[in-house]
Amino acid sequence: SNNGIAVALVLGAIGRVHLKKGEYAEANVVLKECMRTFEKIGVPPNNRKINEIRSCLVDSELALMQNATSTLAGQRREISSVPYEDKALAIDELADAYKNKGDYSGAIWFY
């Protein structure tokens, strides 16, 4: 529906604003809702807009993971042995983390 597309596009724009402002948790929530909205209305997963949103979602997830590794009581805590500069490996780890939680629709976004 046209309303669904409009909602998804607005959510995507809001998510990108949060991402640019460094508000990674907020960006993550909004971008996931954007992806769900696109899925609900049947937009193909290889659509250009979905690819853009997926890229932003990956960036927000990686930023959250990097923040988590360095904020626990000032101690560096490694979640993974993969340095997040290697984005391809990090994306694969994100997908695995979603799969391990049983969130298969979330995992598919990273493939």
Side-chain angles (χ1 to χ4, degrees), residues 27-38:
N28 197 276
V29 169
V30 176
L31 293 169
K32 284 180 182 176
E33 189 58 33
C34 174
M35 292 290 283
R36 284 187 201 99
T37 304
F38 275 131

Side-chain angles (χ1 to χ4, degrees), residues 41-89:
I41 59 177
V43 175
N46 62 345
N47 176 278
R48 182 181 58 83
K49 274 292 181 196
I50 287 185
N51 287 334
E52 289 173 12
I53 297 303
R54 183 180 298 115
S55 177
C56 291
L57 184 56
V58 165
D59 290 345
S60 71
E61 289 274 2
L62 293 178
L64 286 170
M65 290 178 83
Q66 284 180 323
N67 288 347
T69 63
S70 60
T71 57
L72 251 159
Q75 295 177 338
R76 184 147 181 83
R77 185 177 131 238
E78 292 297 329
I79 291 177
S80 160
S81 60
V82 177
Y84 293 115
E85 292 76 44
D86 188 341
K87 201 168 184 178
L89 287 175

Side-chain angles (χ1 to χ4, degrees), residues 16-27 63-64 67:
R16 285 192 299 275
V17 168
H18 282 302
L19 187 62
K20 286 183 181 183
K21 291 175 69 178
E23 298 166 345
Y24 304 117
E26 293 86 348
L64 286 170
N67 288 347

